[in-house]
Amino acid sequence: MLFRSGSGLLSCPAYAIDEPTLAAAAKKEGRVTVYSNADPAALERAVKGFKAKYGIDVDVQRLTGAALAQRFTAEYESGVFLADMFISSDPVFPKEAIKKGWLLRPDDLPSIAAWPKTDTADGLVSLGLNPYTLCWNANVLPAGLTKWEDINDPKYRGKVLVGDPRVLASARLWYVAMRAKYGDGFLRELGSHAAFSPSAVPGLQQLAAGAVGIYAPSTYLNATDIIAKGAPIKNLLIEPIVVSVPFAAAVAKAPHPNAGKLLLSYIMTPAGQEAYNEDGFSVLPNVPKTKTLPSMANVDPNEGERQLPEILGLLKLG
């Protein structure tokens, strides 16, 4: 059951919009703008498939987690509506945005019927599971690494780069897990010698160039993307396995509301998941070119925010 209001299609919450109707409305809008801090190569693959199928242009605006939340909040509160779809691995902000009505639940998307209900429990779509890994430059450290504790080995001082928890909201959960597993001393030692990167992308670029020997924690897809381009990087998945989840939603007051919904619905299809999570981990079963995650650490997503002041203190970060 569909109702038309202004430029957007509205549906009774109990019914999904049928894909041909949504696609026709999206094609009239002609474009879609995505705000994202997700793995750029993963989103690029999905966008390529979407454009090939529907012929709709996609503009991706990528920022780190904290900057993305700040920009989206500032625009929304100022009545400036530029984004049609929002993707963020921040474990807290997207859920707050859903509650405020800034983002839309996926209940009326064409792909929702086949999507696991557990992966829309908060009104957000989990586009994949992107575990954190330990990475090193094989030219700088030919002997390699075997465990998280290796990053505090004195022989690697001056060669370690880690994600900055002040700006990487999802990476805070890795710090929570490391603290629970190895104690406060692990973080104190890390803070005494490591340098900090605001994002995995520039961090891995420094690693590939040999400016550092170790980068942690890198998301799996970011690491495999740069390895596929020939970087001399090794990538190790080690327990406790902490997962970064790219949460997605269509934006409530979007300039191209139908195109935003159509893109999200496409990424939720098996074809979209195959593209987005190639060589990675989907929440859908039996998706070609994806893997099965062996385990996941049970980390409360709110602990990153709660423990942040303590974590910063242990790392000696202001």
Side-chain angles (χ1 to χ4, degrees), residues 204-236:
L204 287 169
Q205 289 171 343
Q206 290 185 63
L207 183 65
V212 294
I214 298 170
Y215 180 75
S218 169
T219 52
Y220 180 87
L221 288 177
N222 281 126
T224 54
D225 290 341
I226 197 167
I227 290 170
K229 295 176 182 176
I233 292 175
K234 297 294 183 181
N235 179 41
L236 189 61

